[in-house]
Amino acid sequence: MVGNQLGHESLAGAPDRETTQNSCQPASDFDGQHHPYSVPFRLIRETVEARITAKTVEIFHRGKLVATHQRSFCQHRPTTIADHMPSSHRRYRDWTHERILREATAVGDDTAALVEIILRSRPHPEQGFRSCIGILGLAKRYDPERLDAACARALALGTRSYGSVAAILKNAQGRKTTDKTEQPSLFHENIRGPGYYH
């Protein structure tokens, strides 16, 4: 999203032939009056110009039309054309918050809890999709019980990433034990005890 906020009056209700033109260097989207419009990903950080009318937003690069969007007045809700995304991002467009939570719940309670924490910890839940989808993808290599145990271990350690869960699984730290977990002994020659201080 571009931090460039266009400083011109609203064109709501203006005839279609009245236009405003602006230029900017988009980080990923052109920001037209607090509403981001997508541009082809190859034009990120390139200078583009936009012609904004009451009904459309047309984006040009070096005089060539590269994108056309229907004008939207919903602030801070991006308008994105799927073809503008790089292929690595298009993979995630079919995933929703609900689908990720549903699939995590199918693996186990701890997986669902970790995924929920990851999604809530990001300013926008979509920023956590890649990590969550990666964690769910581990179910292809590990059985659900082991993956859920690794997520429980990650929760106990306070880690919130795919890399952490993958490392726990790789190092076999996520195995749940049915017996009482072994606690380290607190009694040895270096512990003074309460009598030392009185």
Side-chain angles (χ1 to χ4, degrees), residues 15-16 31 36 48-49 52 77 81 87-88 93 109 114 117 132 151 166 170 172 175 182-183 186-187 194-196:
D16 195 31
D31 191 0
V48 296
E49 285 127 22
I52 303 171
R77 309 265 340 240
I81 297 173
S87 59
S88 60
R93 73 175 174 212
D109 293 339
L114 180 61
I117 288 170
C132 293
C151 290
K170 183 179 177 187
R175 299 190 189 274
E182 193 175 307
Q183 297 293 325
L186 297 179
F187 299 104
Y196 180 83

mmCIF file with all atom_site columns, all heavy atoms in Angstrom, residues 15-16 31 36 48-49 52 77 81 87-88 93 109 114 117 132 151 166 170 172 175 182-183 186-187 194-196:
data_model
loop_
_atom_site.group_PDB
_atom_site.id
_atom_site.type_symbol
_atom_site.label_atom_id
_atom_site.label_alt_id
_atom_site.label_comp_id
_atom_site.label_asym_id
_atom_site.label_entity_id
_atom_site.label_seq_id
_atom_site.pdbx_PDB_ins_code
_atom_site.Cartn_x
_atom_site.Cartn_y
_atom_site.Cartn_z
_atom_site.occupancy
_atom_site.B_iso_or_equiv
_atom_site.pdbx_formal_charge
_atom_site.auth_seq_id
_atom_site.auth_comp_id
_atom_site.auth_asym_id
_atom_site.auth_atom_id
_atom_site.pdbx_PDB_model_num
ATOM 1   N N   . PRO A 1 15  ? -19.597 14.677  -12.982 1.00 0.00 ? 15  PRO A N   1
ATOM 2   C CA  . PRO A 1 15  ? -19.812 14.036  -14.271 1.00 0.00 ? 15  PRO A CA  1
ATOM 3   C C   . PRO A 1 15  ? -18.615 13.164  -14.631 1.00 0.00 ? 15  PRO A C   1
ATOM 4   O O   . PRO A 1 15  ? -17.501 13.426  -14.204 1.00 0.00 ? 15  PRO A O   1
ATOM 5   C CB  . PRO A 1 15  ? -19.944 15.216  -15.253 1.00 0.00 ? 15  PRO A CB  1
ATOM 6   C CG  . PRO A 1 15  ? -20.249 16.403  -14.409 1.00 0.00 ? 15  PRO A CG  1
ATOM 7   C CD  . PRO A 1 15  ? -19.662 16.138  -13.069 1.00 0.00 ? 15  PRO A CD  1
ATOM 8   N N   . ASP A 1 16  ? -18.838 12.133  -15.430 1.00 0.00 ? 16  ASP A N   1
ATOM 9   C CA  . ASP A 1 16  ? -17.795 11.176  -15.782 1.00 0.00 ? 16  ASP A CA  1
ATOM 10  C C   . ASP A 1 16  ? -16.634 11.831  -16.518 1.00 0.00 ? 16  ASP A C   1
ATOM 11  O O   . ASP A 1 16  ? -15.533 11.350  -16.491 1.00 0.00 ? 16  ASP A O   1
ATOM 12  C CB  . ASP A 1 16  ? -18.407 10.049  -16.626 1.00 0.00 ? 16  ASP A CB  1
ATOM 13  C CG  . ASP A 1 16  ? -17.477 8.852   -16.701 1.00 0.00 ? 16  ASP A CG  1
ATOM 14  O OD1 . ASP A 1 16  ? -16.723 8.631   -15.724 1.00 0.00 ? 16  ASP A OD1 1
ATOM 15  O OD2 . ASP A 1 16  ? -17.492 8.162   -17.724 1.00 0.00 ? 16  ASP A OD2 1
ATOM 16  N N   . ASP A 1 31  ? -2.819  4.270   -4.264  1.00 0.00 ? 31  ASP A N   1
ATOM 17  C CA  . ASP A 1 31  ? -3.770  4.713   -3.254  1.00 0.00 ? 31  ASP A CA  1
ATOM 18  C C   . ASP A 1 31  ? -4.545  5.905   -3.799  1.00 0.00 ? 31  ASP A C   1
ATOM 19  O O   . ASP A 1 31  ? -4.021  6.997   -3.892  1.00 0.00 ? 31  ASP A O   1
ATOM 20  C CB  . ASP A 1 31  ? -3.030  5.102   -1.973  1.00 0.00 ? 31  ASP A CB  1
ATOM 21  C CG  . ASP A 1 31  ? -3.975  5.316   -0.805  1.00 0.00 ? 31  ASP A CG  1
ATOM 22  O OD1 . ASP A 1 31  ? -5.195  5.166   -0.998  1.00 0.00 ? 31  ASP A OD1 1
ATOM 23  O OD2 . ASP A 1 31  ? -3.495  5.631   0.285   1.00 0.00 ? 31  ASP A OD2 1
ATOM 24  N N   . PRO A 1 36  ? -7.003  1.759   -1.859  1.00 0.00 ? 36  PRO A N   1
ATOM 25  C CA  . PRO A 1 36  ? -5.932  1.208   -2.694  1.00 0.00 ? 36  PRO A CA  1
ATOM 26  C C   . PRO A 1 36  ? -6.468  0.440   -3.898  1.00 0.00 ? 36  PRO A C   1
ATOM 27  O O   . PRO A 1 36  ? -7.421  -0.334  -3.778  1.00 0.00 ? 36  PRO A O   1
ATOM 28  C CB  . PRO A 1 36  ? -5.180  0.274   -1.761  1.00 0.00 ? 36  PRO A CB  1
ATOM 29  C CG  . PRO A 1 36  ? -5.737  0.490   -0.408  1.00 0.00 ? 36  PRO A CG  1
ATOM 30  C CD  . PRO A 1 36  ? -7.066  1.137   -0.561  1.00 0.00 ? 36  PRO A CD  1
ATOM 31  N N   . VAL A 1 48  ? 3.877   5.585   -11.702 1.00 0.00 ? 48  VAL A N   1
ATOM 32  C CA  . VAL A 1 48  ? 2.657   5.395   -12.482 1.00 0.00 ? 48  VAL A CA  1
ATOM 33  C C   . VAL A 1 48  ? 1.798   6.643   -12.334 1.00 0.00 ? 48  VAL A C   1
ATOM 34  O O   . VAL A 1 48  ? 1.960   7.415   -11.397 1.00 0.00 ? 48  VAL A O   1
ATOM 35  C CB  . VAL A 1 48  ? 1.850   4.146   -12.021 1.00 0.00 ? 48  VAL A CB  1
ATOM 36  C CG1 . VAL A 1 48  ? 2.627   2.872   -12.257 1.00 0.00 ? 48  VAL A CG1 1
ATOM 37  C CG2 . VAL A 1 48  ? 1.412   4.255   -10.577 1.00 0.00 ? 48  VAL A CG2 1
ATOM 38  N N   . GLU A 1 49  ? 0.913   6.827   -13.298 1.00 0.00 ? 49  GLU A N   1
ATOM 39  C CA  . GLU A 1 49  ? -0.038  7.932   -13.247 1.00 0.00 ? 49  GLU A CA  1
ATOM 40  C C   . GLU A 1 49  ? -1.439  7.355   -13.221 1.00 0.00 ? 49  GLU A C   1
ATOM 41  O O   . GLU A 1 49  ? -1.692  6.306   -13.809 1.00 0.00 ? 49  GLU A O   1
ATOM 42  C CB  . GLU A 1 49  ? 0.118   8.844   -14.463 1.00 0.00 ? 49  GLU A CB  1
ATOM 43  C CG  . GLU A 1 49  ? 1.349   9.733   -14.395 1.00 0.00 ? 49  GLU A CG  1
ATOM 44  C CD  . GLU A 1 49  ? 2.216   9.608   -15.624 1.00 0.00 ? 49  GLU A CD  1
ATOM 45  O OE1 . GLU A 1 49  ? 1.698   9.186   -16.665 1.00 0.00 ? 49  GLU A OE1 1
ATOM 46  O OE2 . GLU A 1 49  ? 3.408   9.896   -15.517 1.00 0.00 ? 49  GLU A OE2 1
ATOM 47  N N   . ILE A 1 52  ? -8.405  9.571   -12.501 1.00 0.00 ? 52  ILE A N   1
ATOM 48  C CA  . ILE A 1 52  ? -9.532  9.207   -11.648 1.00 0.00 ? 52  ILE A CA  1
ATOM 49  C C   . ILE A 1 52  ? -10.750 9.992   -12.095 1.00 0.00 ? 52  ILE A C   1
ATOM 50  O O   . ILE A 1 52  ? -10.725 11.226  -12.126 1.00 0.00 ? 52  ILE A O   1
ATOM 51  C CB  . ILE A 1 52  ? -9.221  9.520   -10.170 1.00 0.00 ? 52  ILE A CB  1
ATOM 52  C CG1 . ILE A 1 52  ? -7.948  8.789   -9.746  1.00 0.00 ? 52  ILE A CG1 1
ATOM 53  C CG2 . ILE A 1 52  ? -10.389 9.132   -9.281  1.00 0.00 ? 52  ILE A CG2 1
ATOM 54  C CD1 . ILE A 1 52  ? -7.436  9.192   -8.377  1.00 0.00 ? 52  ILE A CD1 1
ATOM 55  N N   . ARG A 1 77  ? -10.287 -0.296  1.875   1.00 0.00 ? 77  ARG A N   1
ATOM 56  C CA  . ARG A 1 77  ? -10.642 -1.645  1.430   1.00 0.00 ? 77  ARG A CA  1
ATOM 57  C C   . ARG A 1 77  ? -10.093 -1.806  0.024   1.00 0.00 ? 77  ARG A C   1
ATOM 58  O O   . ARG A 1 77  ? -10.635 -1.239  -0.914  1.00 0.00 ? 77  ARG A O   1
ATOM 59  C CB  . ARG A 1 77  ? -12.167 -1.841  1.414   1.00 0.00 ? 77  ARG A CB  1
ATOM 60  C CG  . ARG A 1 77  ? -12.877 -1.463  2.685   1.00 0.00 ? 77  ARG A CG  1
ATOM 61  C CD  . ARG A 1 77  ? -13.163 -2.526  3.692   1.00 0.00 ? 77  ARG A CD  1
ATOM 62  N NE  . ARG A 1 77  ? -13.168 -3.889  3.321   1.00 0.00 ? 77  ARG A NE  1
ATOM 63  C CZ  . ARG A 1 77  ? -14.210 -4.680  3.442   1.00 0.00 ? 77  ARG A CZ  1
ATOM 64  N NH1 . ARG A 1 77  ? -15.355 -4.228  3.861   1.00 0.00 ? 77  ARG A NH1 1
ATOM 65  N NH2 . ARG A 1 77  ? -14.085 -5.944  3.151   1.00 0.00 ? 77  ARG A NH2 1
ATOM 66  N N   . ILE A 1 81  ? -6.943  -6.910  -8.551  1.00 0.00 ? 81  ILE A N   1
ATOM 67  C CA  . ILE A 1 81  ? -7.128  -7.837  -9.670  1.00 0.00 ? 81  ILE A CA  1
ATOM 68  C C   . ILE A 1 81  ? -6.121  -8.958  -9.469  1.00 0.00 ? 81  ILE A C   1
ATOM 69  O O   . ILE A 1 81  ? -4.923  -8.697  -9.281  1.00 0.00 ? 81  ILE A O   1
ATOM 70  C CB  . ILE A 1 81  ? -6.922  -7.119  -11.022 1.00 0.00 ? 81  ILE A CB  1
ATOM 71  C CG1 . ILE A 1 81  ? -7.989  -6.035  -11.194 1.00 0.00 ? 81  ILE A CG1 1
ATOM 72  C CG2 . ILE A 1 81  ? -6.935  -8.116  -12.170 1.00 0.00 ? 81  ILE A CG2 1
ATOM 73  C CD1 . ILE A 1 81  ? -7.795  -5.158  -12.414 1.00 0.00 ? 81  ILE A CD1 1
ATOM 74  N N   . SER A 1 87  ? 2.752   -14.797 -8.701  1.00 0.00 ? 87  SER A N   1
ATOM 75  C CA  . SER A 1 87  ? 2.208   -16.154 -8.567  1.00 0.00 ? 87  SER A CA  1
ATOM 76  C C   . SER A 1 87  ? 2.335   -16.670 -7.137  1.00 0.00 ? 87  SER A C   1
ATOM 77  O O   . SER A 1 87  ? 1.489   -17.423 -6.671  1.00 0.00 ? 87  SER A O   1
ATOM 78  C CB  . SER A 1 87  ? 2.893   -17.108 -9.535  1.00 0.00 ? 87  SER A CB  1
ATOM 79  O OG  . SER A 1 87  ? 4.285   -17.145 -9.281  1.00 0.00 ? 87  SER A OG  1
ATOM 80  N N   . SER A 1 88  ? 3.377   -16.248 -6.423  1.00 0.00 ? 88  SER A N   1
ATOM 81  C CA  . SER A 1 88  ? 3.544   -16.715 -5.044  1.00 0.00 ? 88  SER A CA  1
ATOM 82  C C   . SER A 1 88  ? 2.426   -16.206 -4.143  1.00 0.00 ? 88  SER A C   1
ATOM 83  O O   . SER A 1 88  ? 2.090   -16.833 -3.142  1.00 0.00 ? 88  SER A O   1
ATOM 84  C CB  . SER A 1 88  ? 4.894   -16.258 -4.493  1.00 0.00 ? 88  SER A CB  1
ATOM 85  O OG  . SER A 1 88  ? 4.983   -14.846 -4.506  1.00 0.00 ? 88  SER A OG  1
ATOM 86  N N   . ARG A 1 93  ? -4.832  -16.718 -2.351  1.00 0.00 ? 93  ARG A N   1
ATOM 87  C CA  . ARG A 1 93  ? -6.067  -15.944 -2.495  1.00 0.00 ? 93  ARG A CA  1
ATOM 88  C C   . ARG A 1 93  ? -7.331  -16.755 -2.200  1.00 0.00 ? 93  ARG A C   1
ATOM 89  O O   . ARG A 1 93  ? -8.359  -16.189 -1.864  1.00 0.00 ? 93  ARG A O   1
ATOM 90  C CB  . ARG A 1 93  ? -6.149  -15.296 -3.877  1.00 0.00 ? 93  ARG A CB  1
ATOM 91  C CG  . ARG A 1 93  ? -6.442  -16.262 -4.982  1.00 0.00 ? 93  ARG A CG  1
ATOM 92  C CD  . ARG A 1 93  ? -6.622  -15.562 -6.303  1.00 0.00 ? 93  ARG A CD  1
ATOM 93  N NE  . ARG A 1 93  ? -6.762  -16.570 -7.332  1.00 0.00 ? 93  ARG A NE  1
ATOM 94  C CZ  . ARG A 1 93  ? -6.366  -16.426 -8.545  1.00 0.00 ? 93  ARG A CZ  1
ATOM 95  N NH1 . ARG A 1 93  ? -5.822  -15.312 -8.926  1.00 0.00 ? 93  ARG A NH1 1
ATOM 96  N NH2 . ARG A 1 93  ? -6.531  -17.402 -9.411  1.00 0.00 ? 93  ARG A NH2 1
ATOM 97  N N   . ASP A 1 109 ? -6.782  -29.197 18.845  1.00 0.00 ? 109 ASP A N   1
ATOM 98  C CA  . ASP A 1 109 ? -7.070  -27.981 19.608  1.00 0.00 ? 109 ASP A CA  1
ATOM 99  C C   . ASP A 1 109 ? -5.862  -27.058 19.714  1.00 0.00 ? 109 ASP A C   1
ATOM 100 O O   . ASP A 1 109 ? -5.996  -25.836 19.632  1.00 0.00 ? 109 ASP A O   1
ATOM 101 C CB  . ASP A 1 109 ? -7.572  -28.324 21.007  1.00 0.00 ? 109 ASP A CB  1
ATOM 102 C CG  . ASP A 1 109 ? -8.938  -28.993 20.983  1.00 0.00 ? 109 ASP A CG  1
ATOM 103 O OD1 . ASP A 1 109 ? -9.660  -28.832 19.974  1.00 0.00 ? 109 ASP A OD1 1
ATOM 104 O OD2 . ASP A 1 109 ? -9.274  -29.688 21.962  1.00 0.00 ? 109 ASP A OD2 1
ATOM 105 N N   . LEU A 1 114 ? -2.880  -22.116 18.203  1.00 0.00 ? 114 LEU A N   1
ATOM 106 C CA  . LEU A 1 114 ? -1.692  -21.454 17.656  1.00 0.00 ? 114 LEU A CA  1
ATOM 107 C C   . LEU A 1 114 ? -2.036  -20.634 16.424  1.00 0.00 ? 114 LEU A C   1
ATOM 108 O O   . LEU A 1 114 ? -1.614  -19.477 16.290  1.00 0.00 ? 114 LEU A O   1
ATOM 109 C CB  . LEU A 1 114 ? -0.608  -22.479 17.326  1.00 0.00 ? 114 LEU A CB  1
ATOM 110 C CG  . LEU A 1 114 ? 0.689   -21.900 16.734  1.00 0.00 ? 114 LEU A CG  1
ATOM 111 C CD1 . LEU A 1 114 ? 1.346   -20.936 17.721  1.00 0.00 ? 114 LEU A CD1 1
ATOM 112 C CD2 . LEU A 1 114 ? 1.635   -23.016 16.342  1.00 0.00 ? 114 LEU A CD2 1
ATOM 113 N N   . ILE A 1 117 ? -3.820  -17.472 17.408  1.00 0.00 ? 117 ILE A N   1
ATOM 114 C CA  . ILE A 1 117 ? -2.881  -16.492 17.971  1.00 0.00 ? 117 ILE A CA  1
ATOM 115 C C   . ILE A 1 117 ? -2.083  -15.823 16.857  1.00 0.00 ? 117 ILE A C   1
ATOM 116 O O   . ILE A 1 117 ? -1.879  -14.609 16.869  1.00 0.00 ? 117 ILE A O   1
ATOM 117 C CB  . ILE A 1 117 ? -1.951  -17.162 19.007  1.00 0.00 ? 117 ILE A CB  1
ATOM 118 C CG1 . ILE A 1 117 ? -2.747  -17.478 20.275  1.00 0.00 ? 117 ILE A CG1 1
ATOM 119 C CG2 . ILE A 1 117 ? -0.753  -16.273 19.330  1.00 0.00 ? 117 ILE A CG2 1
ATOM 120 C CD1 . ILE A 1 117 ? -2.003  -18.345 21.257  1.00 0.00 ? 117 ILE A CD1 1
ATOM 121 N N   . CYS A 1 132 ? 0.451   -19.699 8.786   1.00 0.00 ? 132 CYS A N   1
ATOM 122 C CA  . CYS A 1 132 ? -0.593  -20.678 9.143   1.00 0.00 ? 132 CYS A CA  1
ATOM 123 C C   . CYS A 1 132 ? -0.725  -21.774 8.089   1.00 0.00 ? 132 CYS A C   1
ATOM 124 O O   . CYS A 1 132 ? -0.841  -22.957 8.425   1.00 0.00 ? 132 CYS A O   1
ATOM 125 C CB  . CYS A 1 132 ? -1.932  -19.977 9.329   1.00 0.00 ? 132 CYS A CB  1
ATOM 126 S SG  . CYS A 1 132 ? -1.968  -18.878 10.760  1.00 0.00 ? 132 CYS A SG  1
ATOM 127 N N   . CYS A 1 151 ? 2.546   -28.040 18.032  1.00 0.00 ? 151 CYS A N   1
ATOM 128 C CA  . CYS A 1 151 ? 1.886   -26.743 18.227  1.00 0.00 ? 151 CYS A CA  1
ATOM 129 C C   . CYS A 1 151 ? 1.712   -26.443 19.709  1.00 0.00 ? 151 CYS A C   1
ATOM 130 O O   . CYS A 1 151 ? 1.872   -25.298 20.139  1.00 0.00 ? 151 CYS A O   1
ATOM 131 C CB  . CYS A 1 151 ? 0.539   -26.707 17.500  1.00 0.00 ? 151 CYS A CB  1
ATOM 132 S SG  . CYS A 1 151 ? 0.717   -26.661 15.697  1.00 0.00 ? 151 CYS A SG  1
ATOM 133 N N   . ALA A 1 166 ? 8.107   -26.277 12.681  1.00 0.00 ? 166 ALA A N   1
ATOM 134 C CA  . ALA A 1 166 ? 8.881   -27.206 11.854  1.00 0.00 ? 166 ALA A CA  1
ATOM 135 C C   . ALA A 1 166 ? 10.128  -27.687 12.592  1.00 0.00 ? 166 ALA A C   1
ATOM 136 O O   . ALA A 1 166 ? 10.481  -28.870 12.527  1.00 0.00 ? 166 ALA A O   1
ATOM 137 C CB  . ALA A 1 166 ? 9.259   -26.538 10.529  1.00 0.00 ? 166 ALA A CB  1
ATOM 138 N N   . LYS A 1 170 ? 11.071  -31.441 13.595  1.00 0.00 ? 170 LYS A N   1
ATOM 139 C CA  . LYS A 1 170 ? 12.339  -31.996 13.096  1.00 0.00 ? 170 LYS A CA  1
ATOM 140 C C   . LYS A 1 170 ? 13.173  -32.566 14.241  1.00 0.00 ? 170 LYS A C   1
ATOM 141 O O   . LYS A 1 170 ? 13.800  -33.611 14.101  1.00 0.00 ? 170 LYS A O   1
ATOM 142 C CB  . LYS A 1 170 ? 13.119  -30.910 12.364  1.00 0.00 ? 170 LYS A CB  1
ATOM 143 C CG  . LYS A 1 170 ? 14.410  -31.389 11.757  1.00 0.00 ? 170 LYS A CG  1
ATOM 144 C CD  . LYS A 1 170 ? 15.110  -30.274 11.032  1.00 0.00 ? 170 LYS A CD  1
ATOM 145 C CE  . LYS A 1 170 ? 16.439  -30.764 10.494  1.00 0.00 ? 170 LYS A CE  1
ATOM 146 N NZ  . LYS A 1 170 ? 17.218  -29.672 9.923   1.00 0.00 ? 170 LYS A NZ  1
ATOM 147 N N   . ALA A 1 172 ? 11.997  -33.668 17.022  1.00 0.00 ? 172 ALA A N   1
ATOM 148 C CA  . ALA A 1 172 ? 11.152  -34.606 17.779  1.00 0.00 ? 172 ALA A CA  1
ATOM 149 C C   . ALA A 1 172 ? 10.863  -34.116 19.182  1.00 0.00 ? 172 ALA A C   1
ATOM 150 O O   . ALA A 1 172 ? 10.749  -34.888 20.118  1.00 0.00 ? 172 ALA A O   1
ATOM 151 C CB  . ALA A 1 172 ? 11.779  -35.998 17.803  1.00 0.00 ? 172 ALA A CB  1
ATOM 152 N N   . ARG A 1 175 ? 6.623   -34.550 20.782  1.00 0.00 ? 175 ARG A N   1
ATOM 153 C CA  . ARG A 1 175 ? 5.921   -35.782 21.156  1.00 0.00 ? 175 ARG A CA  1
ATOM 154 C C   . ARG A 1 175 ? 5.262   -35.623 22.523  1.00 0.00 ? 175 ARG A C   1
ATOM 155 O O   . ARG A 1 175 ? 5.899   -35.232 23.482  1.00 0.00 ? 175 ARG A O   1
ATOM 156 C CB  . ARG A 1 175 ? 6.882   -36.956 21.174  1.00 0.00 ? 175 ARG A CB  1
ATOM 157 C CG  . ARG A 1 175 ? 7.512   -37.224 19.830  1.00 0.00 ? 175 ARG A CG  1
ATOM 158 C CD  . ARG A 1 175 ? 8.258   -38.537 19.870  1.00 0.00 ? 175 ARG A CD  1
ATOM 159 N NE  . ARG A 1 175 ? 9.047   -38.726 18.674  1.00 0.00 ? 175 ARG A NE  1
ATOM 160 C CZ  . ARG A 1 175 ? 8.583   -39.258 17.555  1.00 0.00 ? 175 ARG A CZ  1
ATOM 161 N NH1 . ARG A 1 175 ? 7.326   -39.635 17.487  1.00 0.00 ? 175 ARG A NH1 1
ATOM 162 N NH2 . ARG A 1 175 ? 9.364   -39.410 16.512  1.00 0.00 ? 175 ARG A NH2 1
ATOM 163 N N   . GLU A 1 182 ? 8.712   -35.294 33.061  1.00 0.00 ? 182 GLU A N   1
ATOM 164 C CA  . GLU A 1 182 ? 9.852   -35.314 33.965  1.00 0.00 ? 182 GLU A CA  1
ATOM 165 C C   . GLU A 1 182 ? 10.228  -33.891 34.357  1.00 0.00 ? 182 GLU A C   1
ATOM 166 O O   . GLU A 1 182 ? 10.484  -33.051 33.500  1.00 0.00 ? 182 GLU A O   1
ATOM 167 C CB  . GLU A 1 182 ? 11.013  -36.003 33.254  1.00 0.00 ? 182 GLU A CB  1
ATOM 168 C CG  . GLU A 1 182 ? 12.134  -36.369 34.178  1.00 0.00 ? 182 GLU A CG  1
ATOM 169 C CD  . GLU A 1 182 ? 13.192  -37.158 33.431  1.00 0.00 ? 182 GLU A CD  1
ATOM 170 O OE1 . GLU A 1 182 ? 12.828  -38.163 32.802  1.00 0.00 ? 182 GLU A OE1 1
ATOM 171 O OE2 . GLU A 1 182 ? 14.346  -36.739 33.480  1.00 0.00 ? 182 GLU A OE2 1
ATOM 172 N N   . GLN A 1 183 ? 10.236  -33.616 35.643  1.00 0.00 ? 183 GLN A N   1
ATOM 173 C CA  . GLN A 1 183 ? 10.607  -32.301 36.158  1.00 0.00 ? 183 GLN A CA  1
ATOM 174 C C   . GLN A 1 183 ? 12.059  -32.344 36.613  1.00 0.00 ? 183 GLN A C   1
ATOM 175 O O   . GLN A 1 183 ? 12.500  -33.341 37.189  1.00 0.00 ? 183 GLN A O   1
ATOM 176 C CB  . GLN A 1 183 ? 9.707   -31.910 37.341  1.00 0.00 ? 183 GLN A CB  1
ATOM 177 C CG  . GLN A 1 183 ? 8.252   -31.761 36.996  1.00 0.00 ? 183 GLN A CG  1
ATOM 178 C CD  . GLN A 1 183 ? 8.009   -30.578 36.074  1.00 0.00 ? 183 GLN A CD  1
ATOM 179 O OE1 . GLN A 1 183 ? 8.669   -29.558 36.174  1.00 0.00 ? 183 GLN A OE1 1
ATOM 180 N NE2 . GLN A 1 183 ? 7.085   -30.735 35.152  1.00 0.00 ? 183 GLN A NE2 1
ATOM 181 N N   . LEU A 1 186 ? 15.131  -30.047 41.906  1.00 0.00 ? 186 LEU A N   1
ATOM 182 C CA  . LEU A 1 186 ? 15.515  -28.760 42.465  1.00 0.00 ? 186 LEU A CA  1
ATOM 183 C C   . LEU A 1 186 ? 16.434  -28.916 43.667  1.00 0.00 ? 186 LEU A C   1
ATOM 184 O O   . LEU A 1 186 ? 16.806  -27.938 44.300  1.00 0.00 ? 186 LEU A O   1
ATOM 185 C CB  . LEU A 1 186 ? 14.270  -27.964 42.858  1.00 0.00 ? 186 LEU A CB  1
ATOM 186 C CG  . LEU A 1 186 ? 13.339  -27.584 41.719  1.00 0.00 ? 186 LEU A CG  1
ATOM 187 C CD1 . LEU A 1 186 ? 12.138  -26.824 42.257  1.00 0.00 ? 186 LEU A CD1 1
ATOM 188 C CD2 . LEU A 1 186 ? 14.051  -26.733 40.687  1.00 0.00 ? 186 LEU A CD2 1
ATOM 189 N N   . PHE A 1 187 ? 16.778  -30.146 44.005  1.00 0.00 ? 187 PHE A N   1
ATOM 190 C CA  . PHE A 1 187 ? 17.630  -30.374 45.163  1.00 0.00 ? 187 PHE A CA  1
ATOM 191 C C   . PHE A 1 187 ? 18.997  -30.868 44.713  1.00 0.00 ? 187 PHE A C   1
ATOM 192 O O   . PHE A 1 187 ? 19.140  -31.942 44.136  1.00 0.00 ? 187 PHE A O   1
ATOM 193 C CB  . PHE A 1 187 ? 16.986  -31.394 46.110  1.00 0.00 ? 187 PHE A CB  1
ATOM 194 C CG  . PHE A 1 187 ? 15.661  -30.919 46.639  1.00 0.00 ? 187 PHE A CG  1
ATOM 195 C CD1 . PHE A 1 187 ? 14.482  -31.432 46.148  1.00 0.00 ? 187 PHE A CD1 1
ATOM 196 C CD2 . PHE A 1 187 ? 15.608  -29.923 47.611  1.00 0.00 ? 187 PHE A CD2 1
ATOM 197 C CE1 . PHE A 1 187 ? 13.264  -30.976 46.614  1.00 0.00 ? 187 PHE A CE1 1
ATOM 198 C CE2 . PHE A 1 187 ? 14.396  -29.466 48.085  1.00 0.00 ? 187 PHE A CE2 1
ATOM 199 C CZ  . PHE A 1 187 ? 13.217  -29.988 47.588  1.00 0.00 ? 187 PHE A CZ  1
ATOM 200 N N   . PRO A 1 194 ? 15.999  -22.470 52.783  1.00 0.00 ? 194 PRO A N   1
ATOM 201 C CA  . PRO A 1 194 ? 15.574  -21.358 53.643  1.00 0.00 ? 194 PRO A CA  1
ATOM 202 C C   . PRO A 1 194 ? 16.401  -21.214 54.918  1.00 0.00 ? 194 PRO A C   1
ATOM 203 O O   . PRO A 1 194 ? 16.526  -20.113 55.454  1.00 0.00 ? 194 PRO A O   1
ATOM 204 C CB  . PRO A 1 194 ? 14.116  -21.689 53.963  1.00 0.00 ? 194 PRO A CB  1
ATOM 205 C CG  . PRO A 1 194 ? 13.983  -23.148 53.731  1.00 0.00 ? 194 PRO A CG  1
ATOM 206 C CD  . PRO A 1 194 ? 14.989  -23.499 52.674  1.00 0.00 ? 194 PRO A CD  1
ATOM 207 N N   . GLY A 1 195 ? 17.009  -22.268 55.408  1.00 0.00 ? 195 GLY A N   1
ATOM 208 C CA  . GLY A 1 195 ? 17.788  -22.201 56.632  1.00 0.00 ? 195 GLY A CA  1
ATOM 209 C C   . GLY A 1 195 ? 19.050  -21.346 56.488  1.00 0.00 ? 195 GLY A C   1
ATOM 210 O O   . GLY A 1 195 ? 19.590  -20.855 57.471  1.00 0.00 ? 195 GLY A O   1
ATOM 211 N N   . TYR A 1 196 ? 19.531  -21.190 55.315  1.00 0.00 ? 196 TYR A N   1
ATOM 212 C CA  . TYR A 1 196 ? 20.758  -20.415 55.066  1.00 0.00 ? 196 TYR A CA  1
ATOM 213 C C   . TYR A 1 196 ? 20.579  -18.951 55.438  1.00 0.00 ? 196 TYR A C   1
ATOM 214 O O   . TYR A 1 196 ? 21.521  -18.297 55.867  1.00 0.00 ? 196 TYR A O   1
ATOM 215 C CB  . TYR A 1 196 ? 21.150  -20.537 53.595  1.00 0.00 ? 196 TYR A CB  1
ATOM 216 C CG  . TYR A 1 196 ? 22.411  -19.765 53.237  1.00 0.00 ? 196 TYR A CG  1
ATOM 217 C CD1 . TYR A 1 196 ? 23.655  -20.316 53.471  1.00 0.00 ? 196 TYR A CD1 1
ATOM 218 C CD2 . TYR A 1 196 ? 22.315  -18.499 52.656  1.00 0.00 ? 196 TYR A CD2 1
ATOM 219 C CE1 . TYR A 1 196 ? 24.803  -19.606 53.134  1.00 0.00 ? 196 TYR A CE1 1
ATOM 220 C CE2 . TYR A 1 196 ? 23.449  -17.795 52.320  1.00 0.00 ? 196 TYR A CE2 1
ATOM 221 C CZ  . TYR A 1 196 ? 24.693  -18.351 52.563  1.00 0.00 ? 196 TYR A CZ  1
ATOM 222 O OH  . TYR A 1 196 ? 25.829  -17.655 52.236  1.00 0.00 ? 196 TYR A OH  1
#
